[in-house]
Amino acid sequence: MEVIAHIFNDFDTKFGVPRQSGVVSSLRGRIVFEKEYRVREAFRGLDEFSHIWLLWDFSEAHKEKWSPTVRPPRLGGNQRMGVFATRSPFRPNNIGLSSVRLLTIDYNDPEGPVLIVEGADLMNNTPIFDVKPYLRYTDCHEDATGGFTSSSGDEMFRLKVEMSDEVSALLHNSLSDIQMKALVDILSNDPRPHYKKDGDKDYVMEYAGNEIRFSVSNGIVTIIGIGV
């Protein structure tokens, strides 16, 4: 398969990237196509869809061999499941699948047409193999079951995010309102590894060119500081 595009967003490292698409709906990204595919006619009708599928490459997770079982973070990293029962990046073929909201198609961008999307769970500069429209009448299954993911309770639990006035001022000087909202949403979903949640440790997350330092205690995320 050929890479047809790359996504550009605020995550240059894996830590902090949402674990699934749509979890942080406020997180925005730009999908820029390779020159060969910047053909206006190829996008005709796409702007009529609210959501699209992205097929992409787990480019930072390539390994020579695959494993039939993996340790899903959702289970604390302590229990093995079959690789085909998970969305682990360590698979026979390193292909990711994400459903994202299509906000607009920017035809006036010098690199256009550029897709502006929300809710992606991809790192910055991730290669994309294909884009397809999301079809509600066939892609949405209201009676679907969630297997081992249904018992974790993560869907309803969110951490509270706090910061001092000083830190808030620094963040607002460095981030746009949209980026600020996405940061709070990311932290409220607890970006720490499920199997390594040390309440006595400070964590550093690279986001939008900044180092966001935070700690977690008693269900509260405290943003301690910001660096560049």
Side-chain angles (χ1 to χ4, degrees):
M1 290 190 293
E2 295 183 6
V3 173
I4 66 168
H6 290 79
I7 191 169
F8 296 94
N9 59 26
D10 292 319
F11 279 107
D12 288 326
T13 61
K14 180 181 177 181
F15 182 49
V17 175
R19 295 184 178 93
Q20 300 292 341
S21 59
V23 171
V24 181
S25 59
S26 54
L27 186 61
R28 290 194 177 183
R30 298 171 65 250
I31 298 177
V32 179
F33 289 79
E34 298 297 310
K35 290 183 178 180
E36 179 182 353
Y37 304 104
R38 296 176 190 174
V39 182
R40 191 183 185 97
E41 289 78 8
F43 301 84
R44 184 184 302 162
L46 185 62
D47 56 0
E48 299 176 9
F49 294 90
S50 64
H51 293 73
I52 56 176
W53 289 108
L54 304 178
L55 280 78
W56 48 279
D57 180 16
F58 281 108
S59 54
E60 301 300 311
H62 287 192
K63 288 188 175 182
E64 291 185 4
K65 296 182 179 180
W66 72 285
S67 173
T69 61
V70 295
R71 300 177 186 269
R74 198 67 171 269
L75 297 177
N78 300 313
Q79 184 177 346
R80 285 193 171 274
M81 285 288 179
V83 65
F84 299 128
T86 75
R87 296 190 177 186
S88 167
F90 305 109
R91 342 181 47 79
N93 291 303
N94 302 98
I95 298 174
L97 176 67
S98 299
S99 173
V100 300
R101 176 179 291 276
L102 176 62
L103 292 180
T104 188
I105 303 176
D106 189 350
Y107 289 100
N108 297 319
D109 190 291
E111 298 178 302
V114 171
L115 307 185
I116 309 300
V117 300
E118 279 186 338
D121 54 341
L122 288 70
M123 282 179 55
N124 184 49
N125 206 32
T126 293
I128 295 175
F129 292 129
D130 203 1
V131 173
K132 299 178 185 291
Y134 176 97
L135 305 180
R136 183 181 179 186
Y137 77 91
T138 185
D139 293 344
C140 179
H141 304 282
E142 296 182 357
D143 60 342
T145 58
F148 65 85
T149 67
S150 299
S151 60
S152 67
D154 285 356
E155 294 86 354
M156 300 299 295
F157 183 72
R158 295 289 183 270
L159 301 178
K160 183 179 180 181
V161 179
E162 296 182 345
M163 69 194 85
S164 67
D165 291 341
E166 180 181 0
V167 170
S168 177
L170 290 172
L171 285 171
H172 279 94
N173 285 334
S174 180
L175 305 176
S176 67
D177 290 344
I178 293 175
Q179 289 173 319
M180 188 70 184
K181 183 180 187 308
L183 173 63
V184 172
D185 289 344
I186 291 161
L187 293 176
S188 72
N189 277 279
D190 197 351
R192 298 174 301 166
H194 280 271
Y195 54 87
K196 191 177 181 182
K197 294 187 176 181
D198 188 347
D200 299 324
K201 177 182 177 181
D202 291 351
Y203 293 85
V204 177
M205 181 179 75
E206 294 186 22
Y207 175 74
N210 300 281
E211 293 184 348
I212 310 297
R213 189 157 52 92
F214 67 94
S215 63
V216 183
S217 179
N218 298 321
I220 298 176
V221 178
T222 302
I223 303 179
I224 302 171
I226 177 176
V228 178

mmCIF file of all heavy atoms in Angstrom, residues 76-125:
data_model
loop_
_atom_site.group_PDB
_atom_site.id
_atom_site.type_symbol
_atom_site.label_atom_id
_atom_site.label_comp_id
_atom_site.label_asym_id
_atom_site.label_seq_id
_atom_site.Cartn_x
_atom_site.Cartn_y
_atom_site.Cartn_z
ATOM 1 N N GLY A 76 -4.988 -3.368 32.566
ATOM 2 C CA GLY A 76 -3.886 -3.095 33.479
ATOM 3 C C GLY A 76 -2.541 -3.597 33.011
ATOM 4 O O GLY A 76 -1.550 -3.489 33.733
ATOM 5 N N GLY A 77 -2.484 -4.152 31.813
ATOM 6 C CA GLY A 77 -1.216 -4.659 31.304
ATOM 7 C C GLY A 77 -0.759 -5.933 31.960
ATOM 8 O O GLY A 77 0.385 -6.358 31.779
ATOM 9 N N ASN A 78 -1.643 -6.584 32.718
ATOM 10 C CA ASN A 78 -1.259 -7.793 33.452
ATOM 11 C C ASN A 78 -1.927 -9.053 32.924
ATOM 12 O O ASN A 78 -1.666 -10.140 33.413
ATOM 13 C CB ASN A 78 -1.620 -7.631 34.938
ATOM 14 C CG ASN A 78 -0.909 -6.450 35.567
ATOM 15 O OD1 ASN A 78 0.289 -6.291 35.387
ATOM 16 N ND2 ASN A 78 -1.639 -5.632 36.309
ATOM 17 N N GLN A 79 -2.812 -8.919 31.965
ATOM 18 C CA GLN A 79 -3.552 -10.070 31.436
ATOM 19 C C GLN A 79 -3.419 -10.102 29.921
ATOM 20 O O GLN A 79 -3.513 -9.074 29.250
ATOM 21 C CB GLN A 79 -5.029 -9.952 31.826
ATOM 22 C CG GLN A 79 -5.875 -11.122 31.408
ATOM 23 C CD GLN A 79 -7.311 -10.987 31.893
ATOM 24 O OE1 GLN A 79 -7.602 -10.155 32.755
ATOM 25 N NE2 GLN A 79 -8.202 -11.799 31.359
ATOM 26 N N ARG A 80 -3.195 -11.266 29.386
ATOM 27 C CA ARG A 80 -3.014 -11.411 27.945
ATOM 28 C C ARG A 80 -4.327 -11.727 27.246
ATOM 29 O O ARG A 80 -5.155 -12.467 27.765
ATOM 30 C CB ARG A 80 -1.988 -12.506 27.628
ATOM 31 C CG ARG A 80 -0.544 -12.074 27.896
ATOM 32 C CD ARG A 80 0.464 -13.021 27.303
ATOM 33 N NE ARG A 80 1.808 -12.495 27.383
ATOM 34 C CZ ARG A 80 2.353 -11.690 26.482
ATOM 35 N NH1 ARG A 80 1.663 -11.339 25.411
ATOM 36 N NH2 ARG A 80 3.592 -11.253 26.623
ATOM 37 N N MET A 81 -4.479 -11.145 26.068
ATOM 38 C CA MET A 81 -5.617 -11.425 25.200
ATOM 39 C C MET A 81 -5.085 -11.699 23.790
ATOM 40 O O MET A 81 -3.978 -11.279 23.445
ATOM 41 C CB MET A 81 -6.570 -10.226 25.153
ATOM 42 C CG MET A 81 -7.413 -10.061 26.388
ATOM 43 S SD MET A 81 -8.688 -11.346 26.474
ATOM 44 C CE MET A 81 -9.490 -10.924 28.015
ATOM 45 N N GLY A 82 -5.878 -12.370 22.985
ATOM 46 C CA GLY A 82 -5.486 -12.612 21.609
ATOM 47 C C GLY A 82 -5.371 -11.295 20.858
ATOM 48 O O GLY A 82 -6.196 -10.389 21.020
ATOM 49 N N VAL A 83 -4.351 -11.166 20.035
ATOM 50 C CA VAL A 83 -4.100 -9.902 19.345
ATOM 51 C C VAL A 83 -5.297 -9.472 18.511
ATOM 52 O O VAL A 83 -5.590 -8.270 18.384
ATOM 53 C CB VAL A 83 -2.828 -9.999 18.472
ATOM 54 C CG1 VAL A 83 -3.015 -11.002 17.331
ATOM 55 C CG2 VAL A 83 -2.445 -8.631 17.921
ATOM 56 N N PHE A 84 -6.048 -10.428 17.974
ATOM 57 C CA PHE A 84 -7.189 -10.074 17.130
ATOM 58 C C PHE A 84 -8.417 -9.654 17.952
ATOM 59 O O PHE A 84 -9.418 -9.227 17.387
ATOM 60 C CB PHE A 84 -7.547 -11.235 16.208
ATOM 61 C CG PHE A 84 -6.428 -11.602 15.272
ATOM 62 C CD1 PHE A 84 -5.992 -12.905 15.178
ATOM 63 C CD2 PHE A 84 -5.797 -10.645 14.491
ATOM 64 C CE1 PHE A 84 -4.960 -13.257 14.322
ATOM 65 C CE2 PHE A 84 -4.762 -10.974 13.636
ATOM 66 C CZ PHE A 84 -4.336 -12.286 13.546
ATOM 67 N N ALA A 85 -8.319 -9.793 19.290
ATOM 68 C CA ALA A 85 -9.382 -9.311 20.168
ATOM 69 C C ALA A 85 -9.031 -7.938 20.736
ATOM 70 O O ALA A 85 -9.727 -7.437 21.621
ATOM 71 C CB ALA A 85 -9.621 -10.296 21.305
ATOM 72 N N THR A 86 -7.965 -7.330 20.232
ATOM 73 C CA THR A 86 -7.514 -6.033 20.739
ATOM 74 C C THR A 86 -7.239 -5.087 19.576
ATOM 75 O O THR A 86 -7.266 -5.481 18.407
ATOM 76 C CB THR A 86 -6.211 -6.182 21.552
ATOM 77 O OG1 THR A 86 -5.099 -6.385 20.654
ATOM 78 C CG2 THR A 86 -6.298 -7.338 22.525
ATOM 79 N N ARG A 87 -6.959 -3.844 19.939
ATOM 80 C CA ARG A 87 -6.532 -2.849 18.949
ATOM 81 C C ARG A 87 -5.062 -2.497 19.145
ATOM 82 O O ARG A 87 -4.622 -1.400 18.811
ATOM 83 C CB ARG A 87 -7.403 -1.604 19.057
ATOM 84 C CG ARG A 87 -8.859 -1.876 18.716
ATOM 85 C CD ARG A 87 -9.651 -0.606 18.600
ATOM 86 N NE ARG A 87 -11.024 -0.876 18.204
ATOM 87 C CZ ARG A 87 -11.919 0.072 17.915
ATOM 88 N NH1 ARG A 87 -11.575 1.350 17.993
ATOM 89 N NH2 ARG A 87 -13.147 -0.253 17.568
ATOM 90 N N SER A 88 -4.324 -3.432 19.682
ATOM 91 C CA SER A 88 -2.893 -3.239 19.903
ATOM 92 C C SER A 88 -2.186 -2.894 18.596
ATOM 93 O O SER A 88 -2.517 -3.432 17.533
ATOM 94 C CB SER A 88 -2.280 -4.517 20.484
ATOM 95 O OG SER A 88 -0.871 -4.461 20.440
ATOM 96 N N PRO A 89 -1.184 -2.011 18.645
ATOM 97 C CA PRO A 89 -0.414 -1.699 17.432
ATOM 98 C C PRO A 89 0.505 -2.838 17.003
ATOM 99 O O PRO A 89 0.975 -2.853 15.859
ATOM 100 C CB PRO A 89 0.394 -0.465 17.839
ATOM 101 C CG PRO A 89 0.518 -0.564 19.314
ATOM 102 C CD PRO A 89 -0.770 -1.185 19.788
ATOM 103 N N PHE A 90 0.761 -3.783 17.889
ATOM 104 C CA PHE A 90 1.698 -4.867 17.590
ATOM 105 C C PHE A 90 0.945 -6.040 16.977
ATOM 106 O O PHE A 90 0.544 -6.993 17.650
ATOM 107 C CB PHE A 90 2.440 -5.269 18.874
ATOM 108 C CG PHE A 90 3.120 -4.116 19.539
ATOM 109 C CD1 PHE A 90 2.631 -3.604 20.736
ATOM 110 C CD2 PHE A 90 4.225 -3.509 18.957
ATOM 111 C CE1 PHE A 90 3.242 -2.523 21.345
ATOM 112 C CE2 PHE A 90 4.847 -2.428 19.566
ATOM 113 C CZ PHE A 90 4.349 -1.931 20.754
ATOM 114 N N ARG A 91 0.760 -5.965 15.659
ATOM 115 C CA ARG A 91 -0.074 -6.911 14.927
ATOM 116 C C ARG A 91 0.686 -7.442 13.714
ATOM 117 O O ARG A 91 1.731 -6.901 13.348
ATOM 118 C CB ARG A 91 -1.365 -6.247 14.457
ATOM 119 C CG ARG A 91 -1.762 -4.981 15.135
ATOM 120 C CD ARG A 91 -3.061 -4.394 14.651
ATOM 121 N NE ARG A 91 -4.141 -5.362 14.556
ATOM 122 C CZ ARG A 91 -4.843 -5.780 15.604
ATOM 123 N NH1 ARG A 91 -4.591 -5.321 16.810
ATOM 124 N NH2 ARG A 91 -5.814 -6.653 15.436
ATOM 125 N N PRO A 92 0.163 -8.491 13.063
ATOM 126 C CA PRO A 92 0.833 -8.980 11.849
ATOM 127 C C PRO A 92 1.026 -7.880 10.809
ATOM 128 O O PRO A 92 2.069 -7.795 10.164
ATOM 129 C CB PRO A 92 -0.123 -10.069 11.349
ATOM 130 C CG PRO A 92 -0.815 -10.555 12.567
ATOM 131 C CD PRO A 92 -0.981 -9.348 13.439
ATOM 132 N N ASN A 93 0.016 -7.065 10.624
ATOM 133 C CA ASN A 93 0.136 -5.872 9.784
ATOM 134 C C ASN A 93 -0.182 -4.664 10.661
ATOM 135 O O ASN A 93 -1.235 -4.628 11.305
ATOM 136 C CB ASN A 93 -0.832 -5.922 8.597
ATOM 137 C CG ASN A 93 -0.444 -6.990 7.604
ATOM 138 O OD1 ASN A 93 0.655 -7.004 7.073
ATOM 139 N ND2 ASN A 93 -1.355 -7.918 7.357
ATOM 140 N N ASN A 94 0.709 -3.687 10.676
ATOM 141 C CA ASN A 94 0.585 -2.561 11.610
ATOM 142 C C ASN A 94 -0.394 -1.511 11.096
ATOM 143 O O ASN A 94 -0.038 -0.358 10.847
ATOM 144 C CB ASN A 94 1.962 -1.935 11.847
ATOM 145 C CG ASN A 94 2.966 -2.929 12.392
ATOM 146 O OD1 ASN A 94 3.761 -3.476 11.651
ATOM 147 N ND2 ASN A 94 2.897 -3.192 13.681
ATOM 148 N N ILE A 95 -1.656 -1.912 10.942
ATOM 149 C CA ILE A 95 -2.673 -1.023 10.385
ATOM 150 C C ILE A 95 -3.612 -0.553 11.492
ATOM 151 O O ILE A 95 -4.146 -1.354 12.261
ATOM 152 C CB ILE A 95 -3.486 -1.732 9.286
ATOM 153 C CG1 ILE A 95 -2.564 -2.127 8.132
ATOM 154 C CG2 ILE A 95 -4.607 -0.832 8.782
ATOM 155 C CD1 ILE A 95 -3.247 -2.958 7.062
ATOM 156 N N GLY A 96 -3.809 0.757 11.574
ATOM 157 C CA GLY A 96 -4.743 1.341 12.520
ATOM 158 C C GLY A 96 -6.020 1.763 11.820
ATOM 159 O O GLY A 96 -6.024 2.051 10.620
ATOM 160 N N LEU A 97 -7.114 1.795 12.564
ATOM 161 C CA LEU A 97 -8.413 2.194 12.028
ATOM 162 C C LEU A 97 -9.052 3.153 13.010
ATOM 163 O O LEU A 97 -9.218 2.835 14.186
ATOM 164 C CB LEU A 97 -9.303 0.967 11.838
ATOM 165 C CG LEU A 97 -10.742 1.225 11.375
ATOM 166 C CD1 LEU A 97 -10.749 1.765 9.949
ATOM 167 C CD2 LEU A 97 -11.561 -0.068 11.450
ATOM 168 N N SER A 98 -9.401 4.355 12.546
ATOM 169 C CA SER A 98 -9.968 5.371 13.428
ATOM 170 C C SER A 98 -11.134 6.072 12.755
ATOM 171 O O SER A 98 -11.085 6.384 11.562
ATOM 172 C CB SER A 98 -8.905 6.417 13.806
ATOM 173 O OG SER A 98 -7.820 5.827 14.492
ATOM 174 N N SER A 99 -12.159 6.345 13.549
ATOM 175 C CA SER A 99 -13.290 7.133 13.083
ATOM 176 C C SER A 99 -13.164 8.535 13.663
ATOM 177 O O SER A 99 -13.070 8.693 14.887
ATOM 178 C CB SER A 99 -14.607 6.485 13.540
ATOM 179 O OG SER A 99 -15.704 7.316 13.226
ATOM 180 N N VAL A 100 -13.158 9.554 12.819
ATOM 181 C CA VAL A 100 -12.980 10.931 13.274
ATOM 182 C C VAL A 100 -14.052 11.829 12.654
ATOM 183 O O VAL A 100 -14.649 11.496 11.628
ATOM 184 C CB VAL A 100 -11.583 11.467 12.899
ATOM 185 C CG1 VAL A 100 -10.496 10.622 13.530
ATOM 186 C CG2 VAL A 100 -11.388 11.509 11.385
ATOM 187 N N ARG A 101 -14.280 12.965 13.295
ATOM 188 C CA ARG A 101 -15.230 13.938 12.762
ATOM 189 C C ARG A 101 -14.534 14.804 11.718
ATOM 190 O O ARG A 101 -13.437 15.324 11.959
ATOM 191 C CB ARG A 101 -15.795 14.820 13.870
ATOM 192 C CG ARG A 101 -16.723 15.919 13.355
ATOM 193 C CD ARG A 101 -17.295 16.762 14.486
ATOM 194 N NE ARG A 101 -18.238 15.997 15.288
ATOM 195 C CZ ARG A 101 -19.520 15.839 14.968
ATOM 196 N NH1 ARG A 101 -20.016 16.389 13.868
ATOM 197 N NH2 ARG A 101 -20.312 15.136 15.750
ATOM 198 N N LEU A 102 -15.173 14.959 10.574
ATOM 199 C CA LEU A 102 -14.659 15.831 9.522
ATOM 200 C C LEU A 102 -15.274 17.213 9.695
ATOM 201 O O LEU A 102 -16.478 17.400 9.479
ATOM 202 C CB LEU A 102 -15.000 15.261 8.146
ATOM 203 C CG LEU A 102 -14.610 16.117 6.939
ATOM 204 C CD1 LEU A 102 -13.098 16.318 6.877
ATOM 205 C CD2 LEU A 102 -15.121 15.475 5.651
ATOM 206 N N LEU A 103 -14.463 18.170 10.106
ATOM 207 C CA LEU A 103 -14.972 19.527 10.321
ATOM 208 C C LEU A 103 -15.134 20.276 9.013
ATOM 209 O O LEU A 103 -16.152 20.908 8.757
ATOM 210 C CB LEU A 103 -14.025 20.303 11.247
ATOM 211 C CG LEU A 103 -13.949 19.836 12.695
ATOM 212 C CD1 LEU A 103 -12.979 20.715 13.470
ATOM 213 C CD2 LEU A 103 -15.320 19.863 13.342
ATOM 214 N N THR A 104 -14.098 20.217 8.189
ATOM 215 C CA THR A 104 -14.156 20.935 6.916
ATOM 216 C C THR A 104 -13.053 20.440 5.996
ATOM 217 O O THR A 104 -12.123 19.749 6.427
ATOM 218 C CB THR A 104 -13.995 22.461 7.144
ATOM 219 O OG1 THR A 104 -14.242 23.159 5.924
ATOM 220 C CG2 THR A 104 -12.594 22.793 7.622
ATOM 221 N N ILE A 105 -13.157 20.796 4.743
ATOM 222 C CA ILE A 105 -12.105 20.542 3.757
ATOM 223 C C ILE A 105 -11.597 21.900 3.295
ATOM 224 O O ILE A 105 -12.358 22.703 2.754
ATOM 225 C CB ILE A 105 -12.625 19.740 2.563
ATOM 226 C CG1 ILE A 105 -13.244 18.426 3.022
ATOM 227 C CG2 ILE A 105 -11.496 19.472 1.562
ATOM 228 C CD1 ILE A 105 -13.874 17.608 1.903
ATOM 229 N N ASP A 106 -10.327 22.178 3.543
ATOM 230 C CA ASP A 106 -9.740 23.466 3.190
ATOM 231 C C ASP A 106 -9.125 23.378 1.796
ATOM 232 O O ASP A 106 -8.032 22.842 1.620
ATOM 233 C CB ASP A 106 -8.686 23.858 4.224
ATOM 234 C CG ASP A 106 -8.182 25.281 4.041
ATOM 235 O OD1 ASP A 106 -8.507 25.890 3.003
ATOM 236 O OD2 ASP A 106 -7.461 25.774 4.928
ATOM 237 N N TYR A 107 -9.851 23.918 0.835
ATOM 238 C CA TYR A 107 -9.361 23.896 -0.542
ATOM 239 C C TYR A 107 -8.411 25.061 -0.816
ATOM 240 O O TYR A 107 -7.712 25.059 -1.830
ATOM 241 C CB TYR A 107 -10.542 23.975 -1.516
ATOM 242 C CG TYR A 107 -11.379 22.718 -1.559
ATOM 243 C CD1 TYR A 107 -12.583 22.630 -0.875
ATOM 244 C CD2 TYR A 107 -10.966 21.614 -2.298
ATOM 245 C CE1 TYR A 107 -13.363 21.488 -0.913
ATOM 246 C CE2 TYR A 107 -11.737 20.460 -2.338
ATOM 247 C CZ TYR A 107 -12.931 20.402 -1.653
ATOM 248 O OH TYR A 107 -13.696 19.254 -1.696
ATOM 249 N N ASN A 108 -8.374 26.057 0.065
ATOM 250 C CA ASN A 108 -7.544 27.238 -0.156
ATOM 251 C C ASN A 108 -6.155 27.119 0.457
ATOM 252 O O ASN A 108 -5.296 27.969 0.217
ATOM 253 C CB ASN A 108 -8.241 28.474 0.428
ATOM 254 C CG ASN A 108 -9.556 28.767 -0.268
ATOM 255 O OD1 ASN A 108 -9.656 28.657 -1.491
ATOM 256 N ND2 ASN A 108 -10.574 29.139 0.503
ATOM 257 N N ASP A 109 -5.943 26.081 1.251
ATOM 258 C CA ASP A 109 -4.621 25.856 1.834
ATOM 259 C C ASP A 109 -3.614 25.593 0.719
ATOM 260 O O ASP A 109 -3.931 24.912 -0.261
ATOM 261 C CB ASP A 109 -4.682 24.655 2.781
ATOM 262 C CG ASP A 109 -3.419 24.492 3.606
ATOM 263 O OD1 ASP A 109 -2.362 24.156 3.035
ATOM 264 O OD2 ASP A 109 -3.497 24.692 4.832
ATOM 265 N N PRO A 110 -2.390 26.133 0.811
ATOM 266 C CA PRO A 110 -1.368 25.874 -0.212
ATOM 267 C C PRO A 110 -1.096 24.395 -0.444
ATOM 268 O O PRO A 110 -0.666 23.994 -1.526
ATOM 269 C CB PRO A 110 -0.129 26.580 0.348
ATOM 270 C CG PRO A 110 -0.664 27.649 1.238
ATOM 271 C CD PRO A 110 -1.915 27.076 1.842
ATOM 272 N N GLU A 111 -1.378 23.568 0.585
ATOM 273 C CA GLU A 111 -1.209 22.121 0.462
ATOM 274 C C GLU A 111 -2.545 21.417 0.264
ATOM 275 O O GLU A 111 -2.626 20.195 0.360
ATOM 276 C CB GLU A 111 -0.517 21.559 1.710
ATOM 277 C CG GLU A 111 0.885 22.099 1.932
ATOM 278 C CD GLU A 111 1.514 21.556 3.193
ATOM 279 O OE1 GLU A 111 0.935 21.736 4.284
ATOM 280 O OE2 GLU A 111 2.593 20.939 3.087
ATOM 281 N N GLY A 112 -3.591 22.183 -0.027
ATOM 282 C CA GLY A 112 -4.940 21.650 -0.119
ATOM 283 C C GLY A 112 -5.166 20.784 -1.338
ATOM 284 O O GLY A 112 -4.357 20.766 -2.272
ATOM 285 N N PRO A 113 -6.271 20.038 -1.257
ATOM 286 C CA PRO A 113 -7.279 20.017 -0.203
ATOM 287 C C PRO A 113 -6.748 19.375 1.089
ATOM 288 O O PRO A 113 -6.124 18.319 1.050
ATOM 289 C CB PRO A 113 -8.419 19.169 -0.783
ATOM 290 C CG PRO A 113 -8.194 19.164 -2.264
ATOM 291 C CD PRO A 113 -6.709 19.223 -2.420
ATOM 292 N N VAL A 114 -6.993 20.055 2.211
ATOM 293 C CA VAL A 114 -6.581 19.581 3.530
ATOM 294 C C VAL A 114 -7.826 19.278 4.352
ATOM 295 O O VAL A 114 -8.751 20.097 4.410
ATOM 296 C CB VAL A 114 -5.707 20.629 4.251
ATOM 297 C CG1 VAL A 114 -5.463 20.219 5.696
ATOM 298 C CG2 VAL A 114 -4.378 20.804 3.520
ATOM 299 N N LEU A 115 -7.854 18.112 4.993
ATOM 300 C CA LEU A 115 -8.982 17.740 5.843
ATOM 301 C C LEU A 115 -8.710 18.200 7.276
ATOM 302 O O LEU A 115 -7.653 17.890 7.836
ATOM 303 C CB LEU A 115 -9.196 16.223 5.833
ATOM 304 C CG LEU A 115 -9.332 15.536 4.467
ATOM 305 C CD1 LEU A 115 -9.671 14.058 4.663
ATOM 306 C CD2 LEU A 115 -10.370 16.219 3.609
ATOM 307 N N ILE A 116 -9.642 18.931 7.854
ATOM 308 C CA ILE A 116 -9.555 19.326 9.255
ATOM 309 C C ILE A 116 -10.471 18.398 10.040
ATOM 310 O O ILE A 116 -11.682 18.350 9.793
ATOM 311 C CB ILE A 116 -9.978 20.797 9.459
ATOM 312 C CG1 ILE A 116 -9.224 21.706 8.479
ATOM 313 C CG2 ILE A 116 -9.735 21.216 10.904
ATOM 314 C CD1 ILE A 116 -7.721 21.675 8.613
ATOM 315 N N VAL A 117 -9.898 17.665 10.985
ATOM 316 C CA VAL A 117 -10.652 16.628 11.695
ATOM 317 C C VAL A 117 -10.548 16.819 13.206
ATOM 318 O O VAL A 117 -9.646 17.496 13.710
ATOM 319 C CB VAL A 117 -10.159 15.220 11.307
ATOM 320 C CG1 VAL A 117 -10.324 14.977 9.824
ATOM 321 C CG2 VAL A 117 -8.703 15.019 11.727
ATOM 322 N N GLU A 118 -11.453 16.173 13.915
ATOM 323 C CA GLU A 118 -11.451 16.159 15.379
ATOM 324 C C GLU A 118 -11.548 14.723 15.871
ATOM 325 O O GLU A 118 -12.189 13.884 15.242
ATOM 326 C CB GLU A 118 -12.648 16.939 15.934
ATOM 327 C CG GLU A 118 -12.461 18.429 15.976
ATOM 328 C CD GLU A 118 -13.617 19.130 16.660
ATOM 329 O OE1 GLU A 118 -14.726 18.554 16.729
ATOM 330 O OE2 GLU A 118 -13.421 20.266 17.123
ATOM 331 N N GLY A 119 -10.899 14.474 17.026
ATOM 332 C CA GLY A 119 -11.053 13.189 17.695
ATOM 333 C C GLY A 119 -10.103 12.102 17.253
ATOM 334 O O GLY A 119 -10.327 10.929 17.582
ATOM 335 N N ALA A 120 -9.030 12.441 16.553
ATOM 336 C CA ALA A 120 -8.098 11.415 16.078
ATOM 337 C C ALA A 120 -7.209 10.920 17.214
ATOM 338 O O ALA A 120 -6.869 11.666 18.129
ATOM 339 C CB ALA A 120 -7.242 11.952 14.939
ATOM 340 N N ASP A 121 -6.815 9.656 17.146
ATOM 341 C CA ASP A 121 -5.921 9.051 18.132
ATOM 342 C C ASP A 121 -4.587 8.693 17.487
ATOM 343 O O ASP A 121 -4.024 7.631 17.726
ATOM 344 C CB ASP A 121 -6.566 7.815 18.760
ATOM 345 C CG ASP A 121 -7.021 6.795 17.722
ATOM 346 O OD1 ASP A 121 -7.177 7.169 16.543
ATOM 347 O OD2 ASP A 121 -7.226 5.619 18.082
ATOM 348 N N LEU A 122 -4.078 9.584 16.660
ATOM 349 C CA LEU A 122 -2.834 9.374 15.919
ATOM 350 C C LEU A 122 -1.777 10.362 16.380
ATOM 351 O O LEU A 122 -2.088 11.501 16.745
ATOM 352 C CB LEU A 122 -3.056 9.566 14.415
ATOM 353 C CG LEU A 122 -3.833 8.523 13.635
ATOM 354 C CD1 LEU A 122 -5.298 8.528 14.006
ATOM 355 C CD2 LEU A 122 -3.688 8.787 12.131
ATOM 356 N N MET A 123 -0.518 9.944 16.334
ATOM 357 C CA MET A 123 0.590 10.849 16.600
ATOM 358 C C MET A 123 0.794 11.796 15.425
ATOM 359 O O MET A 123 0.353 11.531 14.304
ATOM 360 C CB MET A 123 1.889 10.052 16.812
ATOM 361 C CG MET A 123 2.035 9.403 18.167
ATOM 362 S SD MET A 123 3.597 8.475 18.287
ATOM 363 C CE MET A 123 4.800 9.747 17.850
ATOM 364 N N ASN A 124 1.477 12.888 15.704
ATOM 365 C CA ASN A 124 1.843 13.827 14.664
ATOM 366 C C ASN A 124 2.664 13.131 13.570
ATOM 367 O O ASN A 124 3.548 12.333 13.858
ATOM 368 C CB ASN A 124 2.657 14.973 15.274
ATOM 369 C CG ASN A 124 2.995 16.046 14.265
ATOM 370 O OD1 ASN A 124 2.138 16.526 13.532
ATOM 371 N ND2 ASN A 124 4.263 16.432 14.210
ATOM 372 N N ASN A 125 2.359 13.426 12.334
ATOM 373 C CA ASN A 125 3.076 12.914 11.156
ATOM 374 C C ASN A 125 2.824 11.429 10.882
ATOM 375 O O ASN A 125 3.586 10.794 10.140
ATOM 376 C CB ASN A 125 4.583 13.168 11.279
ATOM 377 C CG ASN A 125 5.260 13.269 9.921
ATOM 378 O OD1 ASN A 125 4.663 13.726 8.946
ATOM 379 N ND2 ASN A 125 6.506 12.838 9.845
#
